[in-house]
């Protein structure tokens, strides 16, 4: 028997579900309170009678996702989850405990169609878009990790600070291209804002540069943060790394991005991967590239995040040396561009972009 996923029901539907089981209506409210804290199953719902918990377990499940693997980095700051959706698809999300709060990186699609040459997420293609609740469930999994069933000891405090045990920041930077699933991503962000009190300014959407999607965000009008995965300072080089560059030029992408950030007076985030070819020759991490990038961004309100390439076994690239990375940053800074090197998190747990899903999905398809 397929189990009813209670998280996907409206309040009225959940009430009908419990009354059909011969239970009083207030049980629906109890159950939904547990679910809004990420309760993974019914066994933790201590205010429900034991027998009801067992009955529910037979015919229903709580969230849309099930944690099938949990990896903890050795420094204890990063937790990576491999989650299974109701149709068997697998996705990843990552919880990062930082000095400014607890940030969750969520996936927006199962797989990805963008085909970026350096990335693991896209190797098996796109399976499907995630629904609003599937994206939101990832936040709840992280929330449960932070808080467990101890929520009654302290009320959920929105917009938590570093000492708070709640999710405070969201980055839509996991597997998938969010602006190929824009309406569900917007629905998810609105839900995170209303249900969990996470402020617009603590939410970041990262895109490889889908111009109509950026236009949709401009029309939507909420002051979230936008990150552009640029990775090259000119179209010729960008096309070698990212097929999307054949569709939209850097000029088109940046024009839409500046319009978005100018409207909200926000700083634009530029993601810039630093990568070498198979022989170790720098591709986009040369002095010329650093100068060209500086020209492109000069005088603009932006921050460049430099990301040394995270090795992916299936991809024939190399990671530049620490020296090359610092040299690149120095040139940007000398040219008056804000730039920082992205601290690698959870390297020891394969946290790089789709690797966990890839390794586990491959395992499944090899057997079948
Ligand atoms: N599709 C969106 C969001 C997901 S990718 C986007 O392109 O922005 C999140 C970021 O990780 C992107 O900047 C992406 O280019 C980068 N990335 C992908 N594979 C990587 C790797 N192996 N090492 C480092 N960064 C990687």
């Amino acid at each position: 028997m397929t189990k009813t996923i209670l998280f996907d029901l409206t309040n009225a539907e959940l009430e009908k579900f419990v009354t059909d089981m011969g239970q009083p209506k207030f049980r629906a409210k109890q159950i939904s309170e547990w679910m809004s804290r990420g309760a993974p199953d019914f066994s933790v719902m201590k205010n429900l009678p034991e027998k009801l918990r067992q009955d529910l377990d037979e015919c229903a499940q709580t969230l849309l996702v099930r944690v099938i693997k949990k990896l903890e980095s050795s420094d204890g700051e990063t937790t990576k989850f491999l989650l299974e959706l109701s149709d068997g698809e697998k996705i990843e999300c990552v919880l990062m405990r930082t000095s400014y709060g607890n940030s969750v990186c969520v996936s927006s699609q199962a797989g990805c169609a963008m085909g970026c040459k350096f990335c693991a997420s896209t190797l098996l293609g796109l399976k499907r878009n995630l629904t609003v609740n599937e994206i939101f469930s990832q936040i709840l999994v992280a929330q449960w990790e932070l808080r467990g069933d101890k929520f009654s000891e302290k009320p959920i405090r929105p917009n938590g600070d570093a000492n708070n045990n709640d999710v405070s920041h969201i980055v839509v930077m996991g597997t998938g291209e969010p602006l190929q699933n824009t309406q569900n991503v917007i629905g998810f962000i609105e839900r995170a804002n209303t249900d969990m009190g996470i402020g617009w300014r603590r939410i970041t959407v990262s895109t490889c540069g889908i111009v109509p999607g950026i236009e949709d965000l401009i029309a939507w009008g909420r002051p979230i943060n936008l990150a552009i995965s640029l990775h090259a300072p000119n179209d010729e080089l960008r096309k070698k790394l990212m097929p999307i560059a054949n569709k939209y030029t850097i000029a088109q992408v940046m024009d839409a991005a500046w319009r978005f950030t100018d409207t909200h007076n926000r700083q634009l985030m530029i993601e810039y991967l630093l990568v070498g070819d198979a022989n170790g020759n720098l591709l986009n991490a040369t002095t010329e590239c650093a100068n060209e990038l500086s020209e492109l961004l000069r005088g603009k309100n932006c921050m460049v995040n430099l990301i040394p390439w995270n090795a992916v076994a299936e991809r024939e690239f190399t990671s530049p040396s620490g020296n090359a990375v610092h040299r690149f940053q120095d040139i940007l800074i000398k040219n008056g561009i804000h730039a920082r090197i992205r601290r690698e998190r959870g390297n020891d747990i394969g946290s790089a972009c789709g690797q966990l899903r890839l390794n586990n999905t491959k395992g499944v398809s090899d057997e079948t």
Side-chain angles (χ1 to χ4, degrees):
M1 185 180 75
T2 52
K3 294 186 174 186
T4 307
I5 296 167
L6 302 191
F7 190 66
D8 238 6
L9 304 184
T10 62
N11 287 342
E13 286 166 344
L14 186 58
E15 277 184 6
K16 179 168 185 320
F17 187 86
V18 296
T19 49
D20 284 353
M21 287 179 82
Q23 293 289 323
K25 257 193 197 163
F26 69 85
R27 297 275 180 232
K29 184 139 187 293
Q30 291 176 316
I31 294 169
S32 74
E33 263 172 20
W34 282 104
M35 288 194 295
S36 71
R37 266 96 185 176
D41 55 49
F42 300 103
S43 68
V44 300
M45 301 187 181
K46 293 172 187 156
N47 54 356
L48 302 185
E50 170 88 45
K51 171 83 171 68
L52 174 59
R53 284 187 252 159
Q54 286 165 4
D55 291 349
L56 281 166
D57 198 42
E58 273 171 23
C59 63
Q61 78 183 60
T62 54
L63 300 185
L64 286 157
V65 299
R66 213 165 52 84
V67 178
I68 52 176
K69 221 177 238 181
K70 193 171 101 179
L71 302 175
E72 207 69 65
S73 66
S74 47
D75 59 12
E77 288 179 358
T78 306
T79 310
K80 181 159 195 171
F81 302 91
L82 183 69
L83 308 172
E84 190 176 53
L85 307 178
S86 35
D87 62 355
E89 280 300 329
K90 298 190 182 68
I91 56 167
E92 307 176 8
C93 75
V94 186
L95 165 64
M96 292 161 283
R97 299 164 184 86
T98 74
S99 54
Y100 56 84
N102 297 308
S103 182
V104 185
C105 175
V106 298
S107 295
S108 55
Q109 297 182 309
C112 184
M114 294 296 99
C116 296
K117 298 278 190 284
F118 46 79
C119 178
S121 294
T122 195
L123 281 168
L124 301 172
L126 173 67
K127 290 292 155 48
R128 64 176 177 84
N129 280 338
L130 302 187
T131 65
V132 170
N133 278 347
E134 283 170 339
I135 310 175
F136 190 66
S137 292
Q138 298 170 57
I139 302 292
L140 295 179
V141 166
Q143 181 68 30
W144 187 264
E145 177 71 18
L146 290 166
R147 191 62 91 83
D149 62 355
K150 298 188 188 65
F151 64 85
S152 54
E153 290 169 14
K154 195 170 66 161
I156 296 269
R157 191 149 44 93
N159 291 345
D161 53 44
N163 300 321
N164 199 354
N165 288 327
D166 295 323
V167 173
S168 59
H169 291 70
I170 295 172
V171 290
V172 188
M173 241 184 228
T175 302
E177 170 46 49
L179 298 186
Q180 277 214 314
N181 187 17
T182 314
Q183 287 319 310
N184 289 350
V185 167
I186 285 178
F188 153 69
I189 293 172
E190 300 219 322
R191 188 150 183 207
N193 180 259
T194 45
D195 287 15
M196 294 186 73
I198 299 176
W200 306 118
R201 289 163 195 273
R202 293 170 180 239
I203 301 174
T204 302
V205 169
S206 176
T207 176
C208 64
I210 311 265
V211 174
I214 301 173
E215 302 290 354
D216 290 342
L217 293 182
I218 294 172
W220 176 49
R222 304 299 191 278
I224 60 165
N225 300 300
L226 181 66
I228 301 289
S229 295
L230 192 62
H231 304 335
N234 61 67
D235 289 320
E236 194 192 341
L237 181 55
R238 196 165 192 258
K239 283 178 192 170
K240 290 190 184 142
L241 298 172
M242 306 170 75
I244 193 70
N246 294 301
K247 193 149 182 200
Y248 306 108
T249 64
I250 291 178
Q252 288 171 315
V253 173
M254 296 312 291
D255 170 67
W258 298 129
R259 275 188 288 116
F260 178 86
T261 48
D262 288 349
T263 317
H264 304 304
N265 205 10
R266 303 296 289 160
Q267 189 178 54
L268 181 67
M269 266 171 66
I270 303 286
E271 309 284 308
Y272 196 98
L273 187 86
L274 293 168
V275 67
D277 68 14
N279 301 319
N281 302 311
L282 297 178
L283 281 172
N284 64 351
T286 60
T287 306
E288 295 74 52
C289 284
N291 283 320
E292 207 178 342
L293 182 64
S294 307
E295 282 312 308
L296 186 71
L297 303 177
R298 198 182 292 283
K300 298 290 196 181
N301 184 11
C302 65
M303 165 64 77
V304 180
N305 271 319
L306 297 171
I307 322 167
W309 183 64
N310 247 314
V312 176
E314 290 80 356
R315 300 298 206 186
E316 294 201 330
F317 286 114
T318 48
S319 228
S321 67
N323 272 347
V325 171
H326 282 285
R327 208 162 46 234
F328 198 93
Q329 182 192 28
D330 287 346
I331 298 171
L332 294 183
I333 291 176
K334 215 157 30 191
N335 289 332
I337 310 293
H338 298 295
R340 60 184 176 205
I341 298 168
R342 163 91 58 86
R343 224 195 93 199
E344 291 305 325
R345 291 183 173 276
N347 259 358
D348 53 338
I349 52 174
S351 202
C353 317
Q355 286 179 16
L356 188 61
R357 171 178 186 273
L358 177 68
N359 294 339
N360 284 275
T361 306
K362 263 195 325 201
V364 171
S365 53
D366 286 346
E367 283 159 25
T368 48

